[in-house]
Amino acid sequence: MKLVPDTAAAMPEVSPDGRTWRIRIRPGIYFTDDPAFKGRRRELVADDYVFAWKRVLDPRVRSTELHIFDGRFVGAEEVLAKARESGKFDYDAPIEGLQSVDRYTLKLELNCADSELLSNLTTPASAEVVPMALARRGAESMKRPRRNHSAKFKAAVALAAIRGEKTLVELAEQYKVHANQIGQWRLELLQRAAEVFATAAEKRDAGPDLKSLHAKIGQQGRRT
């Protein structure tokens, strides 16, 4: 099996030395309605990925998935050094290796070729984030009760994500669940799928092959 584009219009264009990437976002993908959008449809654009990936790098976020971008982008270390010194990450500061060159195009300049980047871009940590919606959710999170979804609902949504007939953004609009959450449910389902068929002895004796699982998740999971 191979990776195929999801929110991207095509697979990344990669330079011969593996250090320059161009990723073109498919036009016409819209986010689930959110009060932050003030009644207007909000289209997915390249800047949403730039912001999201900067959040992974932001020291204050303390992302558990920092390793997928840490040390990858040209110019990121200078911005991070200032963030550590000031205690605040400047999201407006340009990073040479992480740019949107137009509304639908991302350009990445890597410090060195990275054979793992493509599969890393299929993980929930690389999902797009809209700054205004994130700010609103942060302000309201303490006032709004947490939604509890049944196991049956989570399984149905995760299976829909694995089938890949719709993008995570489209599924988020359909099920009224954030795309990042859907990606996490899909990841959990893929990680635990083998348990359904394992014998009692296999469940007791077999340790997880994390490298193999990540490879399968990269193949079946959220597509670049």
Side-chain angles (χ1 to χ4, degrees):
M1 300 182 70
K2 65 178 182 179
L3 295 174
V4 294
D6 186 12
T7 58
M11 295 297 286
E13 301 170 8
V14 183
S15 63
D17 64 2
R19 295 182 56 190
T20 301
W21 291 48
R22 283 183 179 267
I23 303 173
R24 303 185 189 281
I25 307 304
R26 179 158 54 88
I29 299 175
Y30 291 88
F31 287 95
T32 306
D33 290 340
D34 190 289
F37 304 152
K38 299 180 180 179
R40 298 179 180 178
R41 297 186 74 192
R42 175 56 161 81
E43 188 180 19
L44 173 66
V45 294
D47 276 336
D48 297 327
Y49 284 103
V50 173
F51 178 79
W53 299 352
K54 284 183 175 181
R55 283 195 78 239
V56 175
L57 294 171
D58 186 346
R60 292 193 304 172
V61 173
R62 298 183 180 180
S63 173
T64 59
E65 302 301 319
L66 174 62
H67 64 278
I68 70 175
F69 295 138
D70 192 25
R72 267 43 174 199
F73 303 128
V74 172
E77 191 53 43
E78 289 83 351
V79 176
L80 284 170
K82 291 180 181 179
R84 296 186 189 104
E85 182 179 351
S86 67
K88 184 177 181 180
F89 189 97
D90 184 359
Y91 283 85
D92 294 324
I95 295 178
E96 181 183 349
L98 177 56
Q99 303 181 51
S100 58
V101 296
D102 59 41
R103 183 174 178 83
Y104 301 113
T105 307
L106 283 164
K107 182 182 179 182
L108 310 180
E109 293 285 351
L110 308 181
N111 287 312
C112 60
D114 184 358
S115 61
E116 298 180 351
L117 181 59
L118 186 59
S119 61
N120 284 337
L121 295 183
T122 69
T123 64
S126 69
E128 63 290 326
V129 175
V130 181
M132 65 181 74
L134 179 68
R136 185 195 64 81
R137 287 198 300 273
E140 295 186 357
S141 61
M142 298 304 294
K143 298 185 292 183
R144 185 175 55 198
R146 186 181 181 87
R147 293 177 64 189
N148 293 316
H149 299 288
S150 68
K152 184 177 180 180
F153 176 83
K154 293 178 182 179
V157 177
L159 285 170
I162 290 171
R163 283 195 296 270
E165 296 170 357
K166 294 183 178 181
T167 67
L168 292 187
V169 173
E170 290 168 337
L171 290 173
E173 183 171 2
Q174 177 180 344
Y175 291 103
K176 308 304 179 186
V177 178
H178 194 276
N180 287 6
Q181 182 65 77
I182 295 175
Q184 186 60 43
W185 290 344
R186 179 183 55 197
L187 181 65
E188 292 174 6
L189 180 59
L190 287 167
Q191 286 178 328
R192 300 176 63 182
E195 296 177 13
V196 176
F197 303 101
T199 65
E202 287 173 332
K203 291 180 180 179
R204 182 179 64 252
D205 299 333
D209 183 353
L210 296 180
K211 185 175 181 180
S212 176
L213 283 173
H214 282 302
K216 291 178 182 178
I217 292 164
Q219 293 170 344
Q220 290 283 352
R222 184 179 182 279
R223 298 166 291 179
T224 303

